[in-house]
Amino acid sequence: NTTATATSVTNIYGNLPFSYDHQTMTAEAGYRILPQTKVTLDDTFETTARTYANASFVTSNTVTAKVRSSIIDSVYGALSYSHQDRDAHTYNLNATWMLLGDTARDPAGFLTYFEASRVHDEVKGTLDVSPITNLTASLVVKFANDRYPDATYGLRNNHNLSVGPDVNWQVTPT
């Protein structure tokens, strides 16, 4: 005897017509406090509008202060601090599943983190060495701290430390 079982699928998903609009406005002011030392302050305001997303409108404002200076001949250093406030206006936790017609999926307080409100602080240091005109070596150290104030469960805070080298060699001079 052979038994066959048939099941029906009640939720068939398709692709929603996703729309994305991103705008950025930046203002920057710099001042040379010494012949080889420059201080820069900038403010960047961004808006992102999405359709069929948990947050249809997101704004962020980032303020950065940076100082860059010559340490000795052919060696430069930079230190910067940036602070960003990102606001996900009317974040709807279950919007994507609801639009797909699946009301049974409730992520119970988990957020889509690239769309969620966030406070981001970052400190970055770079050291650049250029022993000859067509060779530059850099060391970058960055610490970032992210806080998600609207998160109930899952990721609420995130700390990252990045350290990395970069070597650039220009084969032919310009």
Side-chain angles (χ1 to χ4, degrees):
N1 287 339
T2 303
T3 305
T5 305
T7 60
S8 66
V9 177
T10 58
N11 291 323
I12 297 175
Y13 300 114
N15 288 332
L16 296 171
F18 185 71
S19 168
Y20 180 86
D21 182 35
H22 184 86
Q23 296 179 343
T24 302
M25 181 176 66
T26 299
E28 180 176 289
Y31 185 73
R32 217 172 270 290
I33 57 175
L34 295 171
Q36 295 294 322
T37 303
K38 183 178 181 181
V39 175
T40 307
L41 181 65
D42 73 41
D43 187 6
T44 301
F45 181 76
E46 298 175 90
T47 63
T48 304
R50 297 177 178 91
T51 56
Y52 301 111
N54 289 350
S56 60
F57 187 62
V58 176
T59 58
S60 68
N61 190 42
T62 306
V63 177
T64 303
K66 179 179 178 180
V67 61
R68 179 171 168 79
S69 184
S70 173
I71 298 171
I72 57 174
D73 280 349
S74 303
V75 179
Y76 288 86
L79 182 64
S80 67
Y81 169 77
S82 67
H83 175 80
Q84 178 190 63
D85 285 316
R86 182 173 68 193
D87 187 11
H89 302 274
T90 62
Y91 187 91
N92 184 351
L93 186 62
N94 211 19
T96 305
W97 291 113
M98 293 292 285
L99 289 167
L100 288 169
D102 188 350
T103 57
R105 296 184 193 264
D106 180 9
F110 292 104
L111 301 177
T112 307
Y113 288 95
F114 72 92
E115 296 177 345
S117 295
R118 171 183 81 170
V119 176
H120 176 83
D121 292 299
E122 177 179 294
V123 176
K124 180 179 175 183
T126 60
L127 187 63
D128 303 317
V129 179
S130 188
I132 57 178
T133 57
N134 61 343
L135 177 67
T136 303
S138 300
L139 177 65
V140 179
V141 177
K142 180 172 65 170
F143 175 77
N145 179 34
D146 293 322
R147 292 179 308 284
Y148 299 92
D150 298 336
T152 306
Y153 305 106
L155 183 64
R156 296 182 52 143
N157 294 300
N158 184 36
H159 310 289
N160 292 308
L161 177 63
S162 305
V163 178
D166 181 40
V167 176
N168 183 7
W169 176 48
Q170 187 176 353
V171 179
T172 59
T174 56

